[in-house]
């Protein structure tokens, strides 16, 4: 398998960043490109969720573009280049897969995951807390999932799912009390506790909370758009009862 197009992409980015290149590309820095990295990654996830392979191929190209751009900027600054990036990930993958590239024997995917965590810990001895190394740039929901998983790996876990439900109900009661007291700071804190407890419920049931919410957002948007189509009058003129009827009609229309 040749990599002519990959090499061509690297050359194109180098030319775009050259003195005779594109003014926009030349003006970019690691920091100015931050929104692009996030946007392209999320668009790739959208394509995966839609099972759209044509779209996914395009979006993965956009993600790759970001990797090459950042690598080119780093190369110009004398920090590293695309070859260094590839070497780092190659070395990491080989080190963390001793059952493939060495003589280590494993009996399950759980054992593979345990080995991965142990080897990762050996690579990063400067991390003392289980909470070290969690990204500060990802969404709060994704961070909550990571924090929860890290805590569980130390043994900090609910004894059963029922105790987790009790925790959720308790947090809701505390939120209600803060509302009753008109304590806005307390309301905000307790609502955060509800969300964190729900993330733990998702983890307990092996559900990705971020993806679950993305699916719910998409479903709500589709149903709302259908409501707008079915409505015989402007939505602000509807009563609650009319909205409820219209919502049910929307769900039925989309289920056909």
């Amino acid at each position: 398998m040749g990599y002519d197009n990959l090499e061509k992409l690297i050359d194109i980015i180098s030319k775009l960043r050259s003195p005779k290149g594109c003014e926009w590309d030349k003006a970019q820095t690691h920091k100015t490109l931050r929104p692009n990295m996030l946007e392209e990654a999320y668009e790739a996830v959208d394509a995966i969720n839609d099972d759209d392979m044509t779209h996914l191929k395009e979006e993965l190209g956009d993600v790759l573009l970001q990797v090459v751009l950042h690598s080119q900027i780093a190369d110009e600054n004398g920090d590293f280049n695309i070859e260094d990036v590839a070497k780092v990930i190659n070395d990491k993958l080989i080190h963390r897969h001793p059952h493939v590239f060495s003589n280590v024997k494993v009996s399950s995917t759980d054992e593979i995951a345990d080995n991965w965590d142990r080897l990762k810990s050996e690579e990063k001895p400067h991390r003392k807390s289980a909470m070290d190394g969690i990204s500060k740039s990802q969404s709060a929901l994704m961070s909550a999932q990571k924090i929860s998983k890290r805590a569980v790996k130390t043994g900090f876990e609910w004894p059963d799912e029922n105790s987790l439900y009790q925790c959720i109900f308790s947090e809701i009661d505390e939120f209600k009390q803060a509302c009753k007291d008109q304590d806005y700071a307390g309301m905000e804190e307790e609502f955060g506790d509800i969300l964190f407890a729900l993330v733990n419920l998702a983890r307990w049931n092996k559900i990705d909370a971020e993806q679950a919410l993305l699916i719910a957002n998409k479903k709500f948007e589709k149903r709302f758009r259908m409501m707008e189509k079915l409505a015989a009058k402007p939505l602000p003129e509807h009563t609650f009862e009319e909205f409820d009827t219209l919502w049910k009609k929307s769900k039925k229309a989309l289920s056909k």
Side-chain angles (χ1 to χ4, degrees):
M1 180 186 295
Y3 297 97
D4 294 345
N5 284 309
L6 184 56
E7 292 178 359
K8 184 176 180 180
L9 172 61
I10 294 170
D11 289 340
I12 288 172
I13 298 304
S14 178
K15 184 174 182 179
L16 289 172
R17 292 274 305 176
S18 70
K20 295 183 179 180
C22 171
E23 294 302 320
W24 184 91
D25 288 278
K26 289 190 290 183
Q28 300 313 302
T29 67
H30 291 307
K31 290 185 177 180
T32 64
L33 289 169
R34 284 178 298 186
N36 304 61
M37 180 71 83
L38 289 170
E39 181 180 344
E40 302 302 354
Y42 276 115
E43 289 181 359
V45 171
D46 283 343
I48 293 171
N49 288 340
D50 293 339
D51 198 24
D52 186 338
M53 293 301 101
T54 299
H55 189 202
L56 178 58
K57 178 173 64 175
E58 177 185 352
E59 296 305 334
L60 287 177
D62 290 340
V63 172
L64 179 59
L65 169 60
Q66 296 305 308
V67 174
V68 176
L69 261 173
H70 281 284
S71 298
Q72 177 63 33
I73 293 169
D75 192 13
E76 294 165 4
N77 294 338
D79 298 323
F80 59 82
N81 59 31
I82 189 71
E83 183 67 16
D84 297 322
V85 172
K87 183 180 186 307
V88 169
I89 191 61
N90 287 344
D91 291 347
K92 183 186 297 184
L93 288 172
I94 292 171
H95 181 240
R96 295 187 190 177
H97 290 85
H99 56 289
V100 176
F101 300 103
S102 187
N103 298 320
V104 173
K105 302 296 182 183
V106 293
S107 57
S108 67
T109 55
D110 286 341
E111 191 174 348
I112 291 172
D114 289 341
N115 282 343
W116 177 283
D117 290 337
R118 177 180 56 79
L119 292 167
K120 183 177 180 180
S121 178
E122 291 175 0
E123 294 168 3
K124 304 178 187 295
H126 57 284
R127 293 182 179 177
K128 303 303 181 183
S129 169
M131 298 295 127
D132 287 346
I134 296 175
S135 172
K136 297 179 176 61
S137 300
Q138 62 190 1
S139 72
L141 195 57
M142 293 174 69
S143 291
Q145 291 184 122
K146 180 73 73 172
I147 290 168
S148 175
K149 290 177 181 178
R150 292 278 187 91
V152 167
K153 286 180 180 178
T154 70
F156 189 73
E157 175 67 296
W158 277 269
D160 52 52
E161 190 173 8
N162 186 56
S163 62
L164 183 48
Y165 278 110
Q166 291 176 356
C167 173
I168 293 170
F169 297 146
S170 174
E171 299 296 355
I172 292 174
D173 287 339
E174 291 177 11
F175 175 74
K176 288 180 178 179
Q177 184 60 50
C179 291
K180 184 178 179 181
D181 296 339
Q182 297 185 330
D183 177 4
Y184 181 78
M187 290 163 57
E188 187 175 50
E189 179 181 349
E190 298 303 339
F191 190 76
D193 289 344
I194 293 171
L195 292 177
F196 193 83
L198 289 172
V199 165
N200 276 279
L201 180 63
R203 176 191 52 74
W204 186 280
N205 289 282
K206 295 181 171 56
I207 294 170
D208 185 308
E210 180 81 9
Q211 288 303 308
L213 185 56
L214 286 172
I215 292 169
N217 289 346
K218 185 175 181 180
K219 180 170 63 176
F220 181 89
E221 183 180 344
K222 286 178 65 176
R223 289 178 179 175
F224 195 87
R225 289 179 183 275
M226 180 57 70
M227 282 176 57
E228 292 175 319
K229 289 182 179 179
L230 296 175
K233 59 182 179 180
L235 290 183
E237 297 179 10
H238 285 66
T239 64
F240 175 81
E241 290 75 16
E242 290 173 329
F243 265 125
D244 186 53
T245 299
L246 193 57
W247 180 258
K248 290 175 181 176
K249 288 182 179 179
S250 173
K251 289 174 63 176
K252 186 175 181 181
L254 288 170
S255 66
K256 293 180 181 179

